[in-house]
Structure formats: structure tokens, C-alpha cells
């Protein structure tokens, strides 16, 4: 015996939850009662009322659960259940008019052209719902276009109804011709829907396949019973509540049970791989409604030409058909223009997004190349520096031993002291090389960049040249940043030094340093009025330099790039519009001060 936990699981093709079984029992009781009433009851108002209200009740239950499923779902599943609810709403409206005639107006087996039209049009949203296929991996990008394709099919389907059925009811009153044409086109529509539903049921997997099988069996029974009932109406044998209604009620009960079970199903029957989503068959299925709509649109002028050349219909019917054809062409042309406008807008948006993605990809590619260059160069520099540092350590130890040796003469000690001095200088240079290679660990702490910039300015030769004007500005309250002060000082010294070199080469000029807060980062901008950069895109490349031989080896800005990126910041450069270069360094705000950042107007200017 199954445990309660297993019974309460949603319907997945292997079991039915108890609350669904209650509905199944209720439907079975109603159908059994319908059989008893139809078999033993007498033809009359009570029997007709019971039959009409039973069908209307099943349809209202189906509509209620379809609406519930739509609100409880998302994405394609919501569209599927919404379209299905719309189709059932058409159906309810048609049955409601029939019920009104029989129960309120007491007209047995009434002629209801408006109700017939609504029953005919119910197939359009139902077919559109099947085209959604919520169990598949189709994305949302075609959904709006699918709505337009649905509009195409709705107009064309109604156009066929207007050409084939309506004239014989409203233009020239020929009830026999009207009934024959309506029964023919209604049967054809049901056959098409059952065929499409069968294909969808075969394509579905898991619980969706079982649900679609129930849907197909119910609608196949409805199509057959509807065709039999139409023939019985034409022969005068049909009356509401008769045995003719029993298979019809059974099919409607099956559709209602389909709606009840559908609320517990997932959006997809099983995980679908991206390759499956974009397979050739899936793309063809996505484009199928659009192609059907295109064929339908192109066929209308041909139908109009055939109508003009037809001599077997009356002038009034032919005139009505010509007007219907022109009106359908006008509506479809408007829909086609709207669809083309949407496609053009989507294409322009896609091109713009593709262009932005390409630019972003190019920037990322350049950064990756820069990182690879620095990584490769850093490995070489680290190996060489470590080997030379070992040699310098040995030289320092030997020189120190000579200095401490009391037997050594003064000239030997003097030579040893010179060796110590040069070895220390070499060791300092090696430390800078290891800093470029990022071999030494960072010592992160809150750093006041304004104080650090003041220290960097004091260490440069900018104060020795009266023709070089330097100014530091702060835009608002500048918080501390999380950084290694010695490394960032090295970056500032390098950038300021390069700016001073450019100004001295020009003869005079100014260097403006601006601090501001942008997106939880402190941005430091160095703007000089020098000669500018010849190739800004190569400034941070290792060994790139525009200085004369012996004045630079091209590792300074490469080192700065590595240091800033190691801090989680960014560094960029470019040329000013009025001449000169701009270097921008961005560093993250220290976590303890992020909440205290406040911007104000320009603070008092400090300069040197």
C-alpha cells in the first residue's frame, strides 16, 4: 500500500494526487447521471436544461483551472495556458448562447450563427497554444512575433468562415447550404486541430506526453461526437440531453480533467541541451506558424481573383465575398507592416548589442594580451632577479667578512665597502624588478591618497622647475583606499615623473591632479599640457618607450599597470582634446569607509 507521501506527489505520469481523483469521481458521477437521464428521461425542457448546463459546467471548470494554471506558471507555460483559456472562453460563449436560446427563449435545437462563429473561432487560440510547446526549450525572443502570427491565422480563419459560411446566413438566407458549409468547415477545423495535437503529443516527453494523450483523446472524441451531432441536427433527430450528448459531455469532461492535471506539471518535461534547443527541427518548428501565416496571406489575393471569375454564385454573395477579401487584405497588410516594423527594430537592437559586445570583446582581448605579456615577462624577471639576489647576498657576506677581517689592509677594506654599497644598490634594483613581477606580497591597509600624492610630489623634481605648474584638487570628501602605500607611491612617482618629463620637453606647462569618487572607487586623474601620447594603446606594453636611449627601458608604466591591477583597480590613458595626456588610476575604497563616502562641491584647492 502506498504511503501518504507518495500519494501527495504531483501527477507525473505514474500517479494521480487525491484531490484530482475527487474531480475524476465527480465527473464520473455526472456522466453516469447524464447517461441515466438520456436513456430513461423524456424529451423536454428539463432534459435539455440538464444537458446544456452539464456541458456549460464542465467548460467553466476547465476555464477556471486553465486560468489558475496561467497565473501559477511563468514564461511559455503561462502563454500556453492563457491561449488555452482563451479558446475555452470562445467555446463557453457559443455554448452559453445555445443554452440561452433553449432554456430562456425555449427554442429547441436553435440556429445560433453568432454562437456557431464563436465555436468555430475557438480553434485559433487552441492551435496557437499548441505551437507554444511549453515543455520544449524555446526561448522568449519569438513570443511577440508568435502573437502576430496568431493574429494572421485568426484573421485568415475568420476570412475562410466569412467566405464559405456567413453569406448563406446573412446575405442570402439558405439554411441548408449554411448548415452544410458550417458542418464542413467545422469538421475540417477539428480534424486539423486533432492532427496537430497528435504531433505535439508524439513530440512531448514524460508527464507532458501523458497529459497531451488525454487532451488528444478528449478532443478526438469531441470532433467525432460534434460531427455526429451536426448530422443529427440536420436530420431533425438531435435534442439536448439525448444520447448524442453523452460522448460530447465525456470529451468536455476529459478536457476539464486535462486542465486540472496541468497545474502540477513543470515548464519542461526534461532538461534540454542547448544543441537540442537550436537544432534544425526546432528552428523549423519555431518558424512554422510564420510560414503558415505567410502562405495564408499570399493566398487571399488568389481567392479574390477566383471569386471575381466565379459565375456560380449570386451577385449579392459575390459582392460580399469581394468586400470580405479586400477587408482581409487590408487587415493582413496592416499586421504585416507591424510585424516588419517589429522585426526591423529587433534587428537594429541586435546589431547594436552585437556591436557593443564586439567592442567589449576587443577590450577584453587587449587586456588579456597585456596580462599575458606581463605574466610572461614577470616570470623571466623573477627568475633572473632571484638568481642575481643570491649572488648579491654572497657578495655582501664576503665583503662584510673582509671588512671585519683585522688582517686586511685599508685598501682592501675600502674596496670591500664599495662592493657593499654597489651590492645594496643592485639589491634595491632587484626588489623593484620583483615588484614588477608581483613576487613580493602586498601589504594592504587604508591609505589616504591625498597625503600619498603630496609625498610623491615632494620626492619629484617638480619643485625645481619654475616653468612647471602642479595643482592637486579634491572633488568632495575623498575616503581612504585599500592599498599598499609603497606600491601606489611607486605608481604616482612614475606617472608624475613622466608628466614632468613631457612638460620639460615642451618647455613649460601644467600638471593637474584631480581626486574624485566614482562607483565606490577613488579615481585619481593626472592631466598634463605636454605633447601627448603617440600611441596610447601601447603605453602599458613592456619595453615600450618614446624616450631617448639610456633614459628609459619601458618597464615603468608596465609595472604601474601590474601594481594597479594587483590591487583590483584600473589604469588607463589617453590624449586631451586641447593637447597633453591624461592618466587615470582607480582604486577600491577601503571597506570600513565605503559607507562614509559623501560627495560635495569642489573642495579648496591645494597645490605646490
Amino acid at each position: 500500500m502506498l504511503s501518504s507521501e507518495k500519494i501527495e506527489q504531483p501527477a507525473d505520469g505514474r500517479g494521480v494526487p487525491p484531490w484530482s481523483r475527487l474531480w475524476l469521481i465527480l465527473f464520473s458521477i455526472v456522466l453516469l447521471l447524464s447517461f441515466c437521464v438520456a436513456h430513461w428521461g423524456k424529451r423536454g425542457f428539463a432534459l435539455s436544461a440538464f444537458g446544456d448546463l452539464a456541458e456549460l459546467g464542465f467548460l467553466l471548470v476547465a476555464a477556471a483551472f486553465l486560468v489558475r494554471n496561467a497565473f501559477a506558471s511563468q514564461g511559455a507555460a503561462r502563454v500556453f495556458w492563457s491561449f488555452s483559456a482563451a479558446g475555452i472562453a470562445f467555446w463557453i460563449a457559443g455554448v452559453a448562447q445555445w443554452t440561452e436560446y433553449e432554456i430562456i427563449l425555449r427554442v429547441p435545437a436553435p440556429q445560433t450563427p453568432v454562437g456557431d462563429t464563436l465555436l468555430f473561432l475557438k480553434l485559433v487560440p487552441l492551435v496557437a497554444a499548441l505551437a507554444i510547446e511549453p515543455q520544449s526549450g524555446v526561448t522568449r525572443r519569438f513570443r511577440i512575433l508568435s502573437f502576430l502570427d496568431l493574429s494572421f491565422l485568426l484573421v485568415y480563419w475568420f476570412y475562410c468562415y466569412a467566405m464559405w459560411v456567413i453569406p448563406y446566413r446573412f446575405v442570402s438566407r439558405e439554411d441548408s447550404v449554411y448548415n452544410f458549409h458550417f458542418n464542413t468547415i467545422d469538421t475540417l477545423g477539428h480534424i486539423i486541430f486533432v492532427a496537430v495535437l497528435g504531433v505535439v503529443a508524439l513530440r512531448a516527453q514524460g508527464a507532458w506526453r501523458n497529459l497531451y494523450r488525454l487532451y488528444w483523446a478528449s478532443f478526438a472524441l469531441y470532433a467525432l461526437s460534434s460531427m455526429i451531432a451536426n448530422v443529427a441536427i440536420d436530420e431533425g433527430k438531435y435534442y439536448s440531453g439525448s444520447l448524442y450528448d453523452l460522448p460530447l459531455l465525456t470529451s468536455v469532461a476529459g478536457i476539464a480533467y486535462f486542465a486540472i492535471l496541468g497545474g502540477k506539471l513543470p515548464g519542461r518535461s526534461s532538461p534540454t541541451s542547448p544543441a537540442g534547443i537550436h537544432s534544425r527541427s526546432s528552428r523549423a518548428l519555431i518558424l512554422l506558424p510564420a510560414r503558415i501565416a505567410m502562405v495564408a496571406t499570399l493566398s487571399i489575393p488568389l481567392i479574390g481573383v477566383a471569386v471575381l471569375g466565379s459565375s456560380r454564385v449570386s451577385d449579392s454573395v459575390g459582392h460580399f465575398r469581394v468586400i470580405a477579401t479586400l477587408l482581409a487584405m487590408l487587415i493582413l497588410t496592416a499586421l504585416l507592416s507591424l510585424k516588419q516594423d517589429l522585426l526591423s527594430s529587433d534587428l537594429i537592437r541586435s546589431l547594436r548589442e552585437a556591436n557593443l559586445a564586439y567592442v567589449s570583446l576587443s577590450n577584453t582581448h587587449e587586456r588579456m594580451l597585456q596580462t599575458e605579456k606581463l605574466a610572461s615577462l614577470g616570470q623571466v624577471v623573477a627568475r633572473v632577479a632571484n638568481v642575481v639576489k643570491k649572488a648579491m647576498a654572497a657578495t655582501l657576506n664576503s665583503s662584510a667578512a673582509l671588512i671585519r677581517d683585522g688582517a686586511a689592509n685599508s685598501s682592501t677594506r675600502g674596496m670591500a665597502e664599495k662592493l657593499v654599497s654597489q651590492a645594496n644598490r643592485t639589491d634595491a634594483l632587484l626588489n623593484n624588478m620583483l615588484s614588477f613581477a608581483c613576487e613580493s606580497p602586498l601589504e594592504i591597509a587604508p591609505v589616504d591618497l591625498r597625503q600619498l600624492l603630496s609625498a610623491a610630489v615632494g620626492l619629484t623634481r617638480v619643485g625645481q622647475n619654475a616653468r612647471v605648474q602642479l595643482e592637486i584638487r579634491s572633488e568632495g570628501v575623498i575616503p581612504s583606499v585599500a592599498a599598499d602605500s609603497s606600491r601606489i607611491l611607486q605608481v604616482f612617482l612614475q606617472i608624475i615623473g613622466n608628466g614632468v618629463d613631457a612638460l620639460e620637453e615642451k618647455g613649460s606647462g601644467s600638471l593637474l591632479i584631480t581626486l574624485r569618487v566614482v562607483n565606490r572607487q577613488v579615481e585619481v586623474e593626472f592631466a598634463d599640457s605636454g605633447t601627448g601620447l603617440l600611441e596610447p594603446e601601447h603605453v602599458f606594453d613592456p619595453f615600450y618607450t618614446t624616450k631617448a636611449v639610456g633614459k628609459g627601458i619601458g618597464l615603468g608604466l608596465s609595472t604601474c599597470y601590474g601594481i594597479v591591477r594587483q590591487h583590483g583597480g584600473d589604469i588607463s590613458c589617453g590624449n586631451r582634446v586641447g593637447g597633453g595626456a591624461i592618466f587615470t588610476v582607480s582604486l577600491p575604497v577601503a571597506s570600513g569607509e565605503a559607507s562614509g563616502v559623501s560627495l560635495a562641491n569642489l573642495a579648496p584647492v591645494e597645490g605646490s
Side-chain angles (χ1 to χ4, degrees):
M1 185 174 179
L2 293 175
S3 63
S4 59
E5 288 80 1
K6 292 184 178 180
I7 292 177
E8 290 295 333
Q9 289 179 351
D12 59 356
R14 296 171 293 182
V16 179
W19 61 268
S20 300
R21 291 177 179 173
L22 293 177
W23 281 102
L24 184 61
I25 294 172
L26 178 61
F27 289 168
S28 300
I29 293 174
V30 174
L31 291 175
L32 180 60
L33 182 61
S34 300
F35 173 78
C36 295
V37 171
H39 189 269
W40 285 290
K42 294 182 179 181
R43 180 175 181 176
F45 172 77
L47 185 61
S48 298
F50 178 84
D52 292 339
L53 293 177
E55 181 181 0
L56 190 60
F58 282 139
L59 289 174
L60 289 174
V61 171
F65 277 94
L66 288 174
V67 172
R68 183 210 64 173
N69 296 346
F71 279 104
S73 304
Q74 293 181 348
R78 172 170 291 181
V79 178
F80 171 80
W81 295 117
S82 299
F83 279 175
S84 299
I88 299 300
F90 278 115
W91 196 343
I92 290 174
V95 173
Q97 190 187 38
W98 178 285
T99 304
E100 177 191 5
Y101 271 80
E102 284 204 318
I103 296 179
I104 299 177
L105 302 179
R106 303 293 181 92
V107 178
Q111 295 285 342
T112 57
V114 176
D116 291 344
T117 304
L118 293 172
L119 290 175
F120 175 78
L121 292 178
K122 74 178 182 295
L123 295 176
V124 177
L126 293 179
V127 171
L130 296 181
I132 296 297
E133 282 200 292
Q135 75 281 2
S136 67
V138 177
T139 58
R140 297 178 57 188
R141 62 180 299 184
F142 298 105
R143 197 155 297 151
I144 296 178
L145 297 178
S146 297
F147 292 156
L148 283 176
D149 293 333
L150 168 64
S151 302
F152 276 93
L153 296 177
L154 177 62
V155 172
Y156 186 77
W157 198 237
F158 187 78
Y159 168 73
C160 294
Y161 186 79
M163 293 288 289
W164 186 251
V165 179
I166 290 180
Y168 297 102
R169 181 67 184 181
F170 297 100
V171 179
S172 64
R173 187 66 178 262
E174 302 178 42
D175 290 342
S176 59
V177 178
Y178 169 82
N179 291 333
F180 171 76
H181 284 191
F182 175 79
N183 293 342
T184 301
I185 198 169
D186 187 58
T187 301
L188 177 62
H190 288 142
I191 292 174
I192 293 174
F193 181 78
V194 171
V196 174
L197 182 54
V199 173
V200 174
L202 290 176
R203 288 174 53 87
Q205 300 292 330
W208 276 99
R209 168 174 285 189
N210 296 331
L211 190 67
Y212 277 131
R213 286 176 177 175
L214 171 62
Y215 197 19
W216 179 87
S218 300
F219 231 100
L221 179 61
Y222 171 78
L224 180 61
S225 60
S226 178
M227 181 175 60
I228 295 174
N230 287 334
V231 174
I233 290 174
D234 294 340
E235 295 180 355
K237 299 179 180 179
Y238 174 85
Y239 58 91
S240 296
S242 64
L243 290 175
Y244 288 105
D245 277 353
L246 189 60
L248 186 65
L249 288 177
T250 304
S251 64
V252 177
I255 295 173
Y257 198 55
F258 156 80
I260 292 172
L261 294 179
K264 292 297 183 179
L265 289 182
R268 298 183 186 180
S269 58
S270 59
T272 308
S273 63
I277 293 176
H278 301 289
S279 64
R280 180 176 299 179
S281 60
S282 297
R283 290 195 301 267
L285 184 65
I286 292 171
L287 296 176
L288 182 59
R291 290 171 178 171
I292 294 176
M294 179 183 64
V295 172
T297 304
L298 294 176
S299 68
I300 288 183
L302 300 179
I303 296 175
V305 172
V307 168
L308 291 175
S310 177
S311 59
R312 293 179 295 176
V313 298
S314 62
D315 292 339
S316 57
V317 172
H319 183 70
F320 176 84
R321 287 179 172 177
V322 170
I323 294 177
T325 300
L326 294 176
L327 185 61
M329 291 174 62
L330 176 63
I331 296 174
L332 290 178
T333 302
L335 290 175
L336 183 62
S337 301
L338 178 60
K339 182 177 181 180
Q340 184 62 40
D341 184 66
L342 290 176
L343 286 172
S344 300
S345 301
D346 186 63
L347 178 61
I348 293 174
R349 183 171 58 254
S350 298
L351 290 175
R352 186 182 296 113
E353 292 175 356
N355 182 60
L356 294 176
Y358 177 77
V359 172
S360 177
L361 181 62
S362 299
N363 294 336
T364 303
H365 179 66
E366 292 179 1
R367 290 183 181 275
M368 290 180 64
L369 290 178
Q370 180 74 14
T371 303
E372 289 180 3
K373 292 178 183 178
L374 291 175
S376 301
L377 182 61
Q379 292 176 359
V380 175
V381 169
R383 293 195 198 101
V384 174
N386 285 325
V387 172
V388 177
K389 278 182 72 69
K390 292 180 180 179
M392 289 301 100
T395 301
L396 285 172
N397 290 333
S398 300
S399 301
L402 284 174
I403 293 174
R404 292 192 301 269
D405 188 2
N409 53 35
S410 58
S411 61
T412 302
R413 288 195 185 93
M415 183 65 68
E417 290 175 355
K418 291 181 179 180
L419 285 175
V420 170
S421 176
Q422 295 300 324
N424 286 330
R425 292 181 60 187
T426 303
D427 193 66
L429 177 61
L430 293 173
N431 287 332
N432 288 334
M433 294 178 67
L434 289 175
S435 176
F436 167 77
C438 298
E439 287 291 319
S440 53
L442 294 176
E443 297 179 3
I444 301 296
V447 176
D448 187 342
L449 290 184
R450 300 199 321 184
Q451 294 182 1
L452 199 63
L453 282 169
S454 299
V457 169
L459 292 174
T460 61
R461 63 183 186 280
V462 65
Q464 303 173 3
N465 193 335
R467 295 183 178 182
V468 176
Q469 301 295 323
L470 187 142
E471 185 179 4
I472 301 177
R473 290 181 181 177
S474 299
E475 295 182 0
V477 178
I478 306 301
S480 300
V481 299
D484 186 325
S485 58
S486 62
R487 300 289 182 86
I488 300 303
L489 177 62
Q490 181 182 349
V491 172
F492 290 166
L493 287 172
Q494 181 67 47
I495 297 177
I496 293 173
N498 286 349
V500 172
D501 289 343
L503 296 176
E504 289 180 345
E505 182 180 348
K506 184 179 179 181
S508 63
S510 62
L511 175 61
L512 175 62
I513 304 175
T514 306
L515 294 93
R516 62 177 67 93
V517 178
V518 180
N519 296 330
R520 297 175 60 85
Q521 287 198 334
V522 177
E523 188 178 272
V524 186
E525 182 183 272
F526 301 84
D528 65 63
S529 59
T531 56
L533 304 172
L534 295 178
E535 297 176 299
E537 66 275 10
H538 296 300
V539 165
F540 299 111
D541 289 349
F543 300 111
Y544 173 82
T545 181
T546 57
K547 296 181 179 180
V549 177
K551 290 190 176 182
I553 61 174
L555 285 179
L557 289 176
S558 296
T559 304
C560 294
Y561 180 89
I563 291 173
V564 174
R565 297 296 292 178
Q566 192 178 10
H567 280 77
D570 193 18
I571 181 172
S572 60
C573 66
N575 287 316
R576 299 174 63 186
V577 177
I582 293 181
F583 283 81
T584 304
V585 177
S586 299
L587 295 170
V589 174
S591 58
E593 304 214 9
S595 59
V597 177
S598 63
L599 295 178
N601 295 327
L602 290 179
V605 175
E606 36 175 312
S608 62

